[in-house]
Amino acid sequence: MPSPAVATSTGQLAEEIKAELRDAWIPTIYRERIQKSRTRSYQLGVPAKNSSAEIQHTLLGVELKLGRRRMLCPDLATARYLAVFARAGCSAVAIPYDITQISHIADELESSWHRMLLMIEKLAANRPAAFRAHLRRRLISQVRDEIVLAGAGTPSPLFNQNTKQRRA
């Protein structure tokens, strides 16, 4: 009989990983850092399951390969940012309008993604590969669901259109 401190199901391990990541949990970064700033929505159009994202450097610039589709990205930071959400299977996300923020947020998102995967391997090391795969799918599904729930925002950022300098 396992001790009460040892998680026995993928649900318990998933909650343990989520609790350990706290502020580094991808949906938390998305809600607290990205959506609180001026953003625009970006349609990735990736399927929720079996999403693969690969960054490719071509003569035309940086491309993000999503399955069979290729998307031209303005820079490497944007491709890295979008790749994290594509791997999670998010079809639409908010992207910061200020391009100087994208690189820092992409760093945080990528490190959080890899940290989550390392924690899966560490906490389920003595479990079968099928158990680890199920735990990974469960966590990615939670990430995707929370990001979809948070929403992708407006297609373009809202700007203050008031140009009057005097009040009536």
Side-chain angles (χ1 to χ4, degrees):
M1 185 168 165
S3 65
V6 176
T8 57
S9 71
T10 56
Q12 290 171 334
L13 271 178
E15 289 304 316
E16 188 177 321
I17 290 171
K18 183 178 173 182
E20 181 141 346
L21 287 172
R22 287 188 306 266
D23 292 338
W25 177 242
I26 293 173
T28 303
I29 296 170
Y30 185 75
R31 284 189 305 268
E32 300 298 320
R33 297 263 334 265
I34 298 165
Q35 286 194 318
K36 292 208 174 173
S37 64
R38 181 176 281 168
T39 62
R40 59 187 168 92
S41 67
Y42 198 90
Q43 302 297 320
L44 289 169
V46 296
K49 294 189 178 190
N50 296 332
S51 300
S52 65
E54 183 181 336
I55 297 172
Q56 296 182 333
H57 299 273
T58 67
L59 293 174
L60 299 175
V62 179
E63 290 182 346
L64 183 61
K65 185 177 177 188
L66 305 171
R68 291 181 168 171
R69 251 185 46 224
R70 293 175 184 231
M71 299 174 65
L72 188 62
C73 293
D75 57 4
L76 181 60
T78 304
R80 288 174 42 231
Y81 176 89
L82 294 173
V84 172
F85 294 108
R87 286 184 199 112
C90 300
S91 60
V93 295
I95 188 167
Y97 191 73
D98 183 6
I99 60 172
T100 61
Q101 293 180 353
I102 296 174
S103 179
H104 300 293
I105 294 173
D107 289 341
E108 284 183 48
L109 291 171
E110 282 182 332
S111 66
S112 176
W113 179 267
H114 291 294
R115 192 169 162 208
M116 179 180 72
L117 296 179
L118 287 171
M119 289 178 74
I120 291 169
E121 293 302 317
K122 177 184 170 194
L123 294 175
N126 57 351
R127 306 288 178 98
F131 182 87
R132 289 192 304 271
H134 186 261
L135 177 60
R136 184 177 190 271
R137 282 192 306 271
R138 184 182 197 109
L139 279 168
I140 291 172
S141 175
Q142 283 184 358
V143 167
R144 180 179 49 253
D145 293 346
E146 288 186 35
I147 289 171
V148 167
L149 186 64
T154 59
S156 60
L158 302 173
F159 293 101
N160 185 2
Q161 298 285 329
N162 187 5
T163 58
K164 292 184 180 181
Q165 295 182 5
R166 287 187 233 145
R167 295 189 178 228

